Amino acid sequence: LYDALLRRDPFDFEARLGLGELYTKMRELEKAKGEFGKVPPSSRFWRPAQRGCALALAAQRRFRPAIEALESLLQEAPWDPQT
């Protein structure tokens, strides 16, 4: 489903976020990080994608980069309850 959506519109960042989340659930963590990384900062899905990337890093036991990514998000928007 996500592949079809992204073939039709590669700038569908909501679909890209969903694909990254699916890859995370499938434990395809490098693919997940790749999809999350394709969401640009100008997209409203950028912060969720960055959180998803941090979760993928933590699942790889790369805790330091995961914490740094989440701390950066927290500094940018301390009001965001998702961070």
Side-chain angles (χ1 to χ4, degrees), residues 14-28:
E14 184 175 17
R16 197 155 302 280
L17 175 64
L19 182 57
E21 290 171 349
L22 178 62
Y23 281 144
T24 299
K25 289 178 182 164
M26 295 171 53
R27 307 284 299 161
E28 295 281 346

Side-chain angles (χ1 to χ4, degrees), residues 5 8-9 15 24 26 32 38 41 46-47 50 52 56 59 64 69 72 76 81:
L5 289 171
R8 193 181 79 213
D9 180 6
T24 299
M26 295 171 53
K38 293 176 185 175
W46 184 78
R47 290 183 63 78
Q50 293 302 298
R64 175 58 46 205
S72 176
E76 288 175 15

